[in-house]
Amino acid sequence: MAEGNLLKMRTSIDGDTIQYQMVMKDTTINLNEFVGKPLKLTYKNQINCIACGKVTSKSFGQGFCYNCFQTAPEAEECVLRPELCRAHLGESRDQEWAESHCLIPHYVYLAVASGIKVGITRNTQIPTRWIDQGAWNAMIIAETPNRHIAGVIESYLKQHFSDKTNWRSMLKNILAEEINLLSEKNRAIDLLPKELQKYAFQEEKLWELNYPVLQFPIKPQSVTFDKEASIEGTLQGIKGQYLLFDNDRVINIRRHSGYLVEVEK
Ligand SMILES: [Zn+2]
């Protein structure tokens, strides 16, 4: 059907359900159409860096060759530790990239995938960021003019909220339905120092996200192309950046960014 290097699945919301697309070199596959049907992914034993395209024997930071991982702006430390972002001081690997990625409005949010977690994202990444994490509920709690301030707010809130998702609970679809995000938002804002409370987001929209899944795994077993040449079976659904196959097998597509694969029906 298609061959190409895997990339993070592209997502959109159409009506009620999240739509997933696998973007390959020459074609785009609408994955929702395959839910409930057979699908096979075969690894071709080649990884190409998602930044420069060169063949790399190992993937660093989800898809980079070693050189790009050390130099590419999208692999800079502030991606993982935004409170250390120094773009607002004019210091970054690539100031032009920083101007369109760090020095733009950011949101701090609370989301529920496994349990409640705090996170930040660029304003353009709503609701993509939550979908990638497999959250089913989310609320924006603060809006800041740049990445650094969002990171500082997040690091305060990390003392009270997790910043991690338990992927097994997320895939098993264990929903923490007792969590009230609006009251958690108010609690979070109250916990902030006065000078940061001014960034509180006024709107109180509760996002609910529905994934195309027929059956969730009971004991998810993660498959990786570092160990197995292919994954084949009935696609039971898609959640986060995972394809859910029958017999509880799951594969994290984003983790395999840059891996060359063949996709067949
Ligand atoms: Zn590279």
Side-chain angles (χ1 to χ4, degrees):
M1 191 162 64
E3 185 176 300
N5 297 92
L6 290 176
L7 286 173
K8 189 167 91 78
M9 291 182 282
R10 189 193 286 169
T11 60
S12 58
I13 296 180
D14 182 7
D16 206 29
T17 307
I18 296 158
Q19 302 292 317
Y20 281 90
Q21 292 184 321
M22 190 175 265
V23 182
M24 309 293 265
K25 195 170 46 191
D26 301 319
T27 181
T28 296
I29 302 169
N30 290 314
L31 288 168
N32 292 56
E33 292 170 17
F34 289 91
V35 175
K37 294 183 183 151
L39 189 68
K40 181 179 183 185
L41 273 62
T42 307
Y43 176 42
K44 308 299 257 183
N45 277 313
Q46 181 178 316
I47 305 171
N48 294 83
C49 171
I50 57 172
C52 73
K54 278 186 199 150
V55 173
T56 174
S57 55
K58 192 170 178 284
S59 152
F60 296 87
Q62 305 198 64
F64 296 100
C65 68
Y66 186 72
N67 184 42
C68 287
F69 183 63
Q70 295 292 323
T71 56
E74 56 271 42
E76 194 162 358
E77 187 179 30
C78 87
V79 173
L80 288 177
R81 302 194 57 193
E83 72 275 18
L84 300 181
C85 181
R86 298 175 65 82
H88 59 294
L89 305 172
E91 295 170 30
S92 65
R93 284 181 179 177
D94 178 342
Q95 198 60 20
E96 198 177 315
W97 189 89
E99 266 169 36
S100 58
H101 290 80
C102 299
L103 303 179
I104 60 169
H106 275 63
Y107 290 134
V108 184
Y109 62 84
L110 293 174
V112 188
S114 47
I116 189 166
K117 67 157 276 182
V118 63
I120 77 158
T121 190
R122 297 192 295 278
N123 62 350
T124 54
Q125 293 299 104
I126 298 293
T128 310
R129 181 81 181 139
W130 302 327
I131 296 171
D132 290 346
Q133 295 171 342
W136 67 281
N137 248 355
M139 187 178 279
I140 297 168
I141 64 169
E143 182 179 25
T144 66
N146 60 43
R147 184 166 184 82
H148 172 72
I149 297 173
V152 171
I153 292 177
E154 183 191 32
S155 57
Y156 268 102
L157 295 179
K158 273 189 206 172
Q159 299 166 38
H160 307 276
F161 298 90
S162 171
D163 64 328
K164 304 265 184 324
T165 297
N166 178 314
W167 66 271
R168 285 180 195 277
S169 305
M170 182 276 283
L171 292 179
K172 288 196 269 189
N173 205 36
I174 297 171
L175 306 177
E177 292 180 277
E178 70 284 1
I179 294 169
N180 178 325
L181 277 187
L182 181 54
S183 56
E184 293 295 331
K185 172 192 173 182
N186 293 331
R187 182 166 79 92
I189 298 300
D190 286 344
L191 287 166
L192 291 176
K194 275 271 172 300
E195 68 270 23
L196 290 176
Q197 288 182 348
K198 67 180 177 198
Y199 297 109
F201 195 60
Q202 295 310 316
E203 201 182 301
E204 294 175 345
K205 179 175 176 179
L206 177 65
W207 288 73
E208 288 190 39
L209 301 157
N210 296 302
Y211 297 86
V213 180
L214 295 176
Q215 198 180 344
F216 291 97
I218 295 161
K219 284 186 182 167
Q221 306 292 323
S222 182
V223 172
T224 159
F225 290 138
D226 295 330
K227 291 183 180 152
E228 289 174 59
S230 69
I231 182 165
E232 177 177 17
T234 302
L235 187 65
Q236 298 288 3
I238 316 168
K239 191 177 186 192
Q241 280 288 324
Y242 285 83
L243 295 182
L244 315 180
F245 282 84
D246 53 14
N247 292 319
D248 285 0
R249 294 167 307 154
V250 303
I251 183 162
N252 181 341
I253 295 298
R254 184 176 202 177
R255 187 198 165 290
H256 293 93
S257 295
Y259 285 57
L260 183 65
V261 298
E262 184 181 5
V263 184
E264 296 166 276
K265 291 184 202 181

